[in-house]
Amino acid sequence: MTNTRAERKQYRAIDIAKFVMAILVVAIHVRPFTGQTAFVYDDIIARIADPLFFQITAFLFFEKIFAQISGDLRQGMSWCMLGHYMKRILALYTAWFVIYAPVVLPRTWQECGNIRGMLLALLKKYWLSGYYGAMWFMTALLLAMPLSLS
């Protein structure tokens, strides 16, 4: 089954929501307002972006699974598809981890001072948070998706 653009189901509301959420994520990091407006907009309204991105990701993932599978095979096949999906996320995450390495390795060496400490710090960053705060989303996806099928 080929998956061309014409065969894909279009979700215009989800596309609009992703666009709005992307703007909100930018607002979280840029903090365009000050005072009480900053608190209300940046710390309350814009914070809905991350949970909604997780919900959209989960919806699209499970919609794809259940569209292809019917009956009693759903549970077994959904684990198979989850494994494929997680491998793709892990490959992308690892690629970005390697791209960031030239910047992060010297900093980590300065913080730790020895090879053992540096390796432990890198493993912790890889599995728990990423080098930079923005990479937490990928580790959260890798940890949360298997929990959603349990």
Side-chain angles (χ1 to χ4, degrees):
M1 177 176 161
T2 60
N3 200 5
T4 64
R5 185 76 174 150
E7 293 175 1
R8 291 184 186 168
K9 194 169 186 178
Q10 295 291 317
Y11 293 104
R12 298 214 189 283
I14 288 178
D15 291 339
I16 292 168
K18 289 188 310 186
F19 177 75
V20 171
M21 295 307 112
I23 291 171
L24 293 176
V25 168
V26 170
I28 291 169
H29 296 285
V30 173
R31 302 193 63 82
F33 302 107
T34 59
Q36 189 66 22
T37 306
F39 172 73
V40 172
Y41 184 76
D42 298 338
D43 295 332
I44 296 173
I45 295 172
R47 295 295 170 171
I48 67 168
D50 289 334
L52 285 178
F53 270 124
F54 275 111
Q55 290 173 342
I56 289 169
T57 301
F59 171 78
L60 293 173
F61 174 72
F62 288 110
E63 190 270 339
K64 183 178 178 181
I65 287 175
F66 293 132
Q68 294 177 358
I69 303 167
S70 63
D72 295 333
L73 296 175
R74 280 189 179 183
Q75 187 64 24
M77 288 301 290
S78 62
W79 278 104
C80 180
M81 290 183 76
L82 175 65
H84 175 73
Y85 181 74
M86 288 181 65
K87 285 178 189 173
R88 288 178 48 202
I89 291 175
L90 192 58
L92 179 63
Y93 178 67
T94 303
W96 279 110
F97 204 82
V98 170
I99 289 169
Y100 282 137
V103 174
V104 175
L105 288 177
R107 288 183 194 170
T108 307
W109 178 257
Q110 287 176 348
E111 291 171 7
C112 299
N114 62 45
I115 193 77
R116 183 175 183 264
M118 185 173 122
L119 290 175
L120 288 174
L122 289 174
L123 283 172
K124 181 178 137 186
K125 287 177 183 182
Y126 183 81
W127 288 111
L128 298 177
S129 64
Y131 287 135
Y132 296 109
M135 290 179 72
W136 72 267
F137 188 80
M138 289 191 155
T139 55
L141 278 176
L142 286 170
L143 296 173
M145 291 302 282
L147 294 175
S148 64
L149 284 178
S150 299

